[in-house]
């Protein structure tokens, strides 16, 4: 699959904040946008890691079991998504959305250092408590939005096990699957096409580190604050197109599809 052009970022793209009171309006606009812009970069912010599995697992299984126990215990704080088309063109209005979920810092479980980092990044936890989106409302609207359950949509993320874990939990309203193989089966249903940048850069000499490190190496400039999901999703999209252009000759190889960095055998490469 060939991507012909670099990402075209609109001049000073606005990151649109979504709360409970404008959720329906935002989703109505997204239902229109997804028709022409079926590439979605995604990032989440969540309250850290608070638990570790105690049984003996292989490294691969341990990573999933740690993800599972934490996603089940904790709540999603933010989800950021950025839209573009196959050629890297972004909509002039409504290219970046940041969904802010209900979170009660007085009652909900969190890792202290993670919450402090998010506060420094500018996340307003009082506003999340008072005006945050109820996850069931988001899930109901997202299921019929055209973003999920569609092979026409390509999802892009970075080191994305936790991102898709939280997203899957929100959409299904169910605990995480006990087995990693079941998780990938659900993932294939909701997100048939996923590209994880962290996995892709394993094929690239001289690229390593986190999203910001890779973006810096590729000379991609961030728009908006780090550690907020909207800005991180936009940087993910920008970095993805730059990576495909610079390292993969604009050819997106299907061998990367469906693989989440650090987790098990994915649905798309099980026969390779």
């Amino acid at each position: 699959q060939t991507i012909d052009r670099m990402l075209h970022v609109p001049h000073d793209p606005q990151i649109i904040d979504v709360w409970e009171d404008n959720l329906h309006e935002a989703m109505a606009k997204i239902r229109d946008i997804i028709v022409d812009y079926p590439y979605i970069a995604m990032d989440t912010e969540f309250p850290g890691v608070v638990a570790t599995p105690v049984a003996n697992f292989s490294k691969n299984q341990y990573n999933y079991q740690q993800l599972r126990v934490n996603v089940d215990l904790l709540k999603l704080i933010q989800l950021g998504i950025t839209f573009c088309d196959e050629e890297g063109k972004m909509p002039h209005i409504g290219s970046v959305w940041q969904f802010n979920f209900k979170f009660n810092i007085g009652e909900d479980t969190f890792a202290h250092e993670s919450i402090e980092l998010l506060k420094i990044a500018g996340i307003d936890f009082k506003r999340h408590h008072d005006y945050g989106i109820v996850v069931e409302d988001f899930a109901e609207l997202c299921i019929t939005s055209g973003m999920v359950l569609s092979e026409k949509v390509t999802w892009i993320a970075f080191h994305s096990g936790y991102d898709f874990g939280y997203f899957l939990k929100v959409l299904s309203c169910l605990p995480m699957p006990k087995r990693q193989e079941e998780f990938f089966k659900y993932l294939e249903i909701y997100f048939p096409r996923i590209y994880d940048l962290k996995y892709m850069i394993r094929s690239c000499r001289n690229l390593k580190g986190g999203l910001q490190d890779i973006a810096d190496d590729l000379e991609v400039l961030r728009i908006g604050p780090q550690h907020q999901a909207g800005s991180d999703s936009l940087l993910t999209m920008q970095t993805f197109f730059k990576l495909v252009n610079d390292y993969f000759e604009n050819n997106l190889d299907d061998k990367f599809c469906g693989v989440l960095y650090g987790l098990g055998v994915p649905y798309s490469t099980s026969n390779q």
Side-chain angles (χ1 to χ4, degrees):
Q1 185 176 355
T2 300
I3 297 176
D4 296 324
R5 299 191 180 96
M6 296 290 292
L7 187 66
H8 301 274
V9 181
H11 177 66
D12 193 23
Q14 181 188 6
I15 298 172
I16 301 170
D17 271 300
V18 184
W19 302 88
E20 182 71 22
D21 63 357
N22 65 330
L23 176 62
H24 280 265
E25 178 190 356
M27 282 300 200
K29 291 177 180 175
I30 284 170
R31 282 194 293 273
D32 291 335
I33 289 168
I34 191 67
V35 176
D36 295 320
Y37 301 94
Y39 277 63
I40 309 175
M42 185 264 289
D43 182 73
T44 63
E45 300 298 341
F46 51 89
V49 174
V50 299
T52 54
V54 292
N56 288 322
F57 296 105
S58 68
K59 175 66 174 171
N60 190 290
Q61 288 291 337
Y62 177 89
N63 287 344
Y64 176 72
Q65 293 302 327
Q66 183 173 46
L67 183 156
R68 178 177 76 86
V69 69
N70 281 280
V71 169
D72 279 347
L73 280 170
L74 304 173
K75 291 183 178 180
L76 183 60
I77 295 172
Q78 274 188 344
L79 171 73
I81 54 176
T82 295
F83 291 94
C84 77
D85 67 10
E86 186 179 7
E87 296 180 346
K89 294 175 183 173
M90 296 170 64
H92 288 288
I93 299 173
S95 55
V96 189
W97 302 80
Q98 184 166 267
F99 295 88
N100 300 281
F101 294 96
K102 188 167 282 295
F103 192 86
N104 185 345
I105 208 165
E107 294 180 3
D108 296 327
T109 306
F110 60 85
H112 179 77
E113 63 275 12
S114 296
I115 292 297
E116 290 305 308
L117 185 69
L118 294 177
K119 285 180 178 176
I120 292 168
I123 290 182
D124 182 347
F125 282 100
K126 185 178 188 309
R127 193 164 185 196
H128 278 263
H129 174 269
D130 294 341
Y131 305 109
I133 298 165
V134 177
V135 290
E136 292 82 1
D137 296 343
F138 173 82
E140 183 179 350
L141 292 167
C142 192
I143 289 292
T144 57
S145 67
M147 290 192 290
V148 298
L149 305 166
S150 172
E151 293 184 355
K152 296 177 182 177
V153 176
T154 298
W155 287 86
I156 299 151
F158 185 92
H159 203 165
S160 59
Y162 279 86
D163 296 318
F164 284 107
Y166 278 104
F167 208 158
L168 195 61
K169 173 189 171 183
V170 166
L171 290 173
S172 67
C173 298
L174 293 169
M176 288 283 285
K178 286 188 167 57
R179 295 171 61 246
Q180 185 168 224
E181 294 77 11
E182 295 173 56
F183 170 69
F184 275 105
K185 285 179 182 176
Y186 279 110
L187 208 62
E188 183 180 14
I189 294 168
Y190 284 96
F191 309 99
R193 293 184 58 79
I194 295 172
Y195 289 90
D196 187 324
L197 278 173
K198 181 74 170 174
Y199 179 73
M200 291 175 67
I201 66 169
R202 292 176 63 185
S203 301
C204 306
R205 292 181 63 190
N206 307 322
L207 288 182
K208 60 182 179 180
L211 175 61
Q212 189 63 60
D213 299 316
I214 306 304
D216 290 344
D217 287 343
L218 295 173
E219 298 181 341
V220 175
L221 296 178
R222 174 184 289 277
I223 298 167
Q226 190 173 3
H227 303 304
Q228 288 209 26
S231 173
D232 284 354
S233 73
L234 175 55
L235 190 68
T236 299
M237 186 71 88
Q238 293 172 281
T239 304
F240 171 78
F241 274 87
K242 191 71 158 57
L243 181 75
V244 172
N245 180 75
D246 289 4
Y247 282 83
F248 297 100
E249 298 178 337
N250 279 333
N251 188 51
L252 188 53
D253 197 320
D254 275 349
K255 74 179 181 181
F256 297 117
C257 185
V259 189
L260 304 192
Y261 181 84
L263 294 182
V265 177
Y267 41 85
S268 66
T269 60
S270 55
N271 61 350
Q272 291 183 7

